[in-house]
Amino acid sequence: MGVSLREILASDFFSEARVLAGKEGLDRIVQGISSQDAPTGGQWARGKELMLSTGYLFKGNIEYFKEVIIEANEANAAGLGIKVGRYLDEIPKEIVELCDELKFPLIDLPKDSAWIEIGNAINEIAIDRYIEKLTSFIQVYGNKDHDRKIKEIIEGLYNNIGKPVEVYDFCKNKIYSTFNKSIKNTKLSDYEFIWNPDCKHEKESLSEKFHMFRIENLENKEDSLRIVLPIEIDNIVLAYLVVWENQEKSDYYDLYTIRLSFVLLLHEYGSIYFENSFKDKFQDELIRQIIESNFQNETQIIRKVLDTEGLYLCISIKQFSHEISLYDHREKISRCIYNIFQRDEIIFGLAGKDEIVMLYKKDKDIHKTNEFIKISISQLIKCFENEVIKGKFVAGVSRGFVDIKNVKNSYTESSKTIDISRYIYPESKVILYDNLGPFKFINIEEFKRKI
């Protein structure tokens, strides 16, 4: 990020500053300040800093003055600021000519300013410039869809820091990238390398307050450095913000800009998650992933939401009125479920417009009986039918609690229970898989053909 010397000198704070030499280098970028009042030349310059000096060590020592300027220029320092008249009454002609030749700016600084005030003024200019851009962005933020907002946030970040940016969205299985203009729709089952590379690596914490880390591949130095921030709501990681540093570590201003962009993204994902009932939509995708996948490659998002060490009972509830779509009654469905079950013991979602799938987590201390489950589901169906007028609901309960890798089979049991019960228990609203008796072994399609 940084800010040019030309922009710094145009600010009110530096109105009394004068360019003494090297005017052609005023577009050099400043990313910080350093003090140059030690007898070690410009060897401590790290690049893109404005070096500050009282001029004390240069008095009567023009060769040392030249040495500092040459070394600082070779290190790509932004320039040298000096207070003429304090210890050095005037700048020697040879120094002016050298700075002009190197296009290395030499600045006469405001006389009464302390180093900390100069540093703060430069920081404020850089930060205010980004906040100004951020304010303009927010003003046109408006009613754009979430894809466009996320894309524009990362493009704005890229334009400010000049480093490729991506958002790995585990909720929609998308990668938003500044590498190209399109939003990639992709499976993210292999995204684990972003946070935990499959190699010897090092994580450097960049913030005490945020989970902001720089990850470096220790086995292959050609592999890009990256900064990663998890976007987390309710202890659920919804996405990762990734900045690819490409071997050049981000400076102070870049890290500040990344933080601000992260806050924008966090706000956006919070809006999706809460205001637009994102949590329920998220569970829809999770439920579908569970009942359609064989879990050979569990994703991080599933491990985050589901306790892979826990046991789950699968409950399918189907609605048989063709004129009703459950997608139109999401809030009513949520309200009914949470009236019967605690939020931390149930995960649910719509597997389609006429089917709710629920995963009930087994309490390690309290062993729920089949009778308890049957009563609870009966109450739930009664609530559904009161809330969803003309709805016709039937529930099937799998035979028992299983670990997450076997939930797919449990779903097959609960769904099959509903299909068969319609023929052998047509008046029942809640049927357990074990209630099917020998009918549980039949092929449902073949059974239908024989009816």
Side-chain angles (χ1 to χ4, degrees):
M1 184 178 164
V3 59
S4 71
L5 264 176
R6 190 182 306 280
E7 191 172 351
I8 290 171
L9 296 175
S11 68
D12 291 340
F13 182 89
F14 290 93
S15 59
E16 296 181 6
R18 296 182 300 126
V19 180
L20 303 174
K23 291 182 179 181
E24 292 185 47
L26 289 179
D27 289 321
R28 293 193 184 206
I29 297 299
V30 177
Q31 293 182 337
I33 63 169
S34 65
S35 175
Q36 177 46 53
D37 276 326
T40 52
Q43 62 182 271
W44 293 107
R46 291 295 179 264
K48 297 185 180 180
E49 74 262 64
L50 176 61
M51 302 175 68
L52 307 179
S53 177
T54 61
Y56 178 77
L57 294 177
F58 301 145
K59 187 176 182 179
N61 194 347
I62 192 170
E63 293 304 317
Y64 174 68
F65 202 166
K66 288 181 180 179
E67 178 185 330
V68 168
I69 291 171
I70 292 171
E71 288 181 342
N73 180 67
E74 289 176 350
N76 196 32
L80 175 64
I82 193 168
K83 291 187 176 182
V84 179
R86 187 170 182 183
Y87 295 108
L88 199 64
D89 292 330
E90 60 180 0
I91 302 298
K93 182 179 179 183
E94 292 177 60
I95 297 298
V96 172
E97 291 175 348
L98 175 63
C99 289
D100 283 338
E101 179 185 345
L102 298 175
K103 299 178 183 178
F104 183 81
L106 182 64
I107 313 296
D108 182 12
L109 297 171
K111 300 295 185 292
D112 298 326
S113 300
W115 289 165
I116 189 172
E117 293 173 332
I118 292 173
N120 287 344
I122 293 172
N123 287 340
E124 287 178 7
I125 293 167
I127 290 169
D128 285 349
R129 185 180 67 173
Y130 179 70
I131 291 177
E132 182 180 19
K133 292 181 179 180
L134 193 62
T135 302
S136 300
F137 169 74
I138 291 173
Q139 289 175 350
V140 298
Y141 203 56
N143 295 318
K144 295 179 181 178
D145 63 71
H146 295 299
D147 282 345
R148 286 187 62 190
K149 288 179 182 179
I150 293 169
K151 186 71 173 174
E152 287 186 3
I153 290 171
I154 66 172
E155 286 180 346
L157 176 57
Y158 168 73
N159 290 334
N160 275 280
I161 67 176
K163 295 179 172 68
V165 183
E166 291 186 315
V167 169
Y168 285 69
D169 185 320
F170 309 131
C171 310
K172 298 182 179 179
N173 282 345
K174 287 184 176 180
I175 300 176
Y176 301 84
S177 176
T178 59
F179 295 174
N180 53 58
K181 296 303 179 182
S182 62
I183 299 170
K184 304 176 190 175
N185 288 281
T186 180
K187 283 191 173 183
L188 298 176
S189 57
D190 61 345
Y191 77 92
E192 181 73 10
F193 80 95
I194 292 295
W195 186 246
N196 289 310
D198 187 20
C199 62
K200 187 177 181 182
H201 63 278
E202 183 176 84
K203 282 184 183 177
E204 174 190 0
S205 177
L206 300 178
S207 172
E208 293 183 5
K209 302 297 183 183
F210 296 100
H211 290 141
M212 182 179 187
F213 292 87
R214 173 179 288 118
I215 300 177
E216 180 178 3
N217 186 339
L218 299 179
E219 296 178 359
N220 181 7
K221 294 298 183 182
E222 298 300 318
D223 189 20
S224 294
L225 291 168
R226 57 182 171 274
I227 293 174
V228 183
L229 292 91
I231 299 171
E232 191 171 353
I233 306 289
D234 275 356
N235 295 318
I236 299 172
V237 177
L238 304 181
Y240 282 145
L241 170 61
V242 181
V243 176
W244 298 96
E245 292 186 299
N246 295 331
Q247 307 305 316
E248 182 181 353
K249 292 184 177 181
S250 303
D251 60 52
Y252 167 82
Y253 297 123
D254 288 346
L255 296 178
Y256 181 85
T257 306
I258 292 168
R259 285 182 176 92
L260 287 178
S261 298
F262 167 76
V263 171
L264 276 179
L265 288 168
L266 189 64
H267 175 270
E268 186 60 28
Y269 276 92
S271 173
I272 296 170
Y273 189 76
F274 293 110
E275 295 177 15
N276 298 322
S277 299
F278 179 75
K279 188 173 183 181
D280 287 345
K281 294 178 183 177
F282 169 73
Q283 291 171 327
D284 288 354
E285 293 194 22
L286 176 61
I287 289 296
R288 283 194 292 270
Q289 194 170 5
I290 292 169
I291 64 180
E292 294 172 2
S293 171
N294 60 14
F295 285 95
Q296 291 176 350
N297 294 305
E298 291 181 3
T299 63
Q300 178 72 19
I301 194 65
I302 288 176
R303 290 201 296 272
K304 195 73 178 178
V305 177
L306 296 176
D307 177 7
T308 54
E309 299 299 321
L311 300 176
Y312 297 87
L313 185 72
C314 187
I315 303 160
S316 298
I317 302 176
K318 293 186 179 180
Q319 195 287 126
F320 292 96
S321 177
H322 297 297
E323 61 190 32
I324 293 174
S325 171
L326 296 180
Y327 289 114
D328 298 330
H329 301 277
R330 298 185 60 83
E331 294 301 320
K332 295 176 181 178
I333 291 169
S334 299
R335 187 164 58 248
C336 286
I337 291 175
Y338 290 137
N339 280 340
I340 307 295
F341 298 97
Q342 298 296 317
R343 289 179 179 265
D344 60 352
E345 67 183 2
I346 197 77
I347 295 172
F348 70 94
L350 297 180
K353 71 180 184 65
D354 58 2
E355 184 179 18
I356 306 163
V357 177
M358 301 168 54
L359 300 183
Y360 179 78
K361 184 178 179 181
K362 183 176 182 179
D363 191 309
K364 294 180 180 179
D365 300 320
I366 303 174
H367 298 283
K368 307 295 187 183
T369 64
N370 284 346
E371 191 61 23
F372 173 87
I373 296 296
K374 194 169 184 177
I375 292 172
S376 298
I377 300 300
S378 296
Q379 292 173 343
L380 182 59
I381 286 185
K382 184 176 179 180
C383 183
F384 284 164
E385 292 182 341
N386 287 336
E387 291 282 349
V388 182
I389 306 302
K390 296 183 180 180
K392 299 176 182 178
F393 294 86
V394 177
V397 182
S398 63
R399 75 174 111 185
F401 291 89
V402 297
D403 61 31
I404 186 58
K405 292 184 179 180
N406 290 303
V407 166
K408 180 181 179 182
N409 294 331
S410 290
Y411 167 72
T412 300
E413 291 175 357
S414 61
S415 182
K416 181 178 182 179
T417 298
I418 296 175
D419 292 339
I420 295 177
S421 68
R422 295 193 67 201
Y423 297 95
I424 62 175
Y425 302 119
E427 301 302 319
S428 297
K429 295 286 188 179
V430 181
I431 307 93
L432 306 181
Y433 181 77
D434 288 338
N435 293 156
L436 296 181
F439 291 97
K440 71 178 68 170
F441 301 110
I442 68 172
N443 181 300
I444 184 61
E445 295 302 324
E446 184 176 321
F447 181 79
K448 288 179 182 180
R449 287 195 295 269
K450 292 181 179 180
I451 294 296

